[in-house]
Amino acid sequence: MPYYEFNCRACGSFDRFHRMAEVPGTAACPDCAAPARRRVTAGALLHTGSTATRLLDATAGTADRPAVVSAPPAGGHTRITRNPLHAKLPHP
Ligand SMILES: [Zn+2]
């Protein structure tokens, strides 16, 4: 997912991540909330295929449509933590 540079006349430039199909012409300045125009710059892409990029893409891809499960995972109780102190917590 590329990031784009926006320029606020009062505060200067800042970067925002957007999907290529959804990049707006203006964005609210994080400092003064005034609309800042997108600057025309060379595109900057993250290293595609890295774990961080896949996590960011998966998170952004399900932000408006989270995965819904209809049942708990198979196998009954699943261990979701390795901290031995969590075993002392009460279980439902
Ligand atoms: Zn500003």
Side-chain angles (χ1 to χ4, degrees), residues 8-12 29-34:
C8 174
R9 289 182 178 222
C11 307
C29 173
D31 295 326
C32 68

